[in-house]
Amino acid sequence: MHTFEFEFPGDRPAQQRAHVGVVGSGDLEILVSPSADGAAVVQVRTSVDGFDDVWRNVLERFFTRYGLTGAIQINDFGATPGVVSIRLLQALDQSTTAETGRN
């Protein structure tokens, strides 16, 4: 298991907790919690070694574009960069959209 952390500045705070995805082959889960830090503190735990630069590039692109802030935990089980991007967008939507009680 490989763990690393990143921090990105942002201006779009998470308004509520979010949980998207599952830890399964080729997928990942993302947990978002609001925080008063004014930054995204991202912890990645992955079963795949040797992709630190890929993770850094995918996360930097996402957080530069969307500016989400909060405590973000990613538990990866071999997701591709495309799956990571989709899950991040889902987490952004869930954590910044007011709950309506609808699915």
Side-chain angles (χ1 to χ4, degrees):
M1 188 63 70
H2 188 63
T3 301
F4 44 95
E5 290 188 14
F6 300 98
E7 185 169 327
F8 302 97
D11 57 1
R12 191 172 183 182
Q15 302 296 312
Q16 59 196 5
R17 291 178 178 262
H19 178 201
V20 298
V22 295
V23 182
S25 183
D27 206 344
L28 73 160
E29 72 174 355
I30 299 176
L31 304 151
V32 178
S33 298
S35 126
D37 290 345
V41 178
V42 183
Q43 181 186 60
V44 178
R45 295 185 333 159
T46 179
S47 61
V48 183
D49 291 335
F51 287 88
D52 298 30
D53 289 340
V54 174
W55 276 104
R56 182 181 322 279
N57 290 335
V58 169
L59 294 173
E60 187 172 285
R61 190 175 319 132
F62 175 82
F63 287 100
T64 298
R65 182 170 185 175
Y66 296 103
L68 177 66
T69 64
I72 295 138
Q73 182 175 347
I74 299 174
N75 298 311
D76 174 54
F77 200 66
T80 64
V83 172
V84 174
S85 295
I86 289 169
R87 292 293 187 203
L88 284 168
L89 286 170
Q90 290 176 317
L92 170 70
D93 185 55
Q94 283 190 13
S95 65
T96 59
T97 303
E99 290 187 41
T100 61
R102 295 181 301 170
N103 289 331

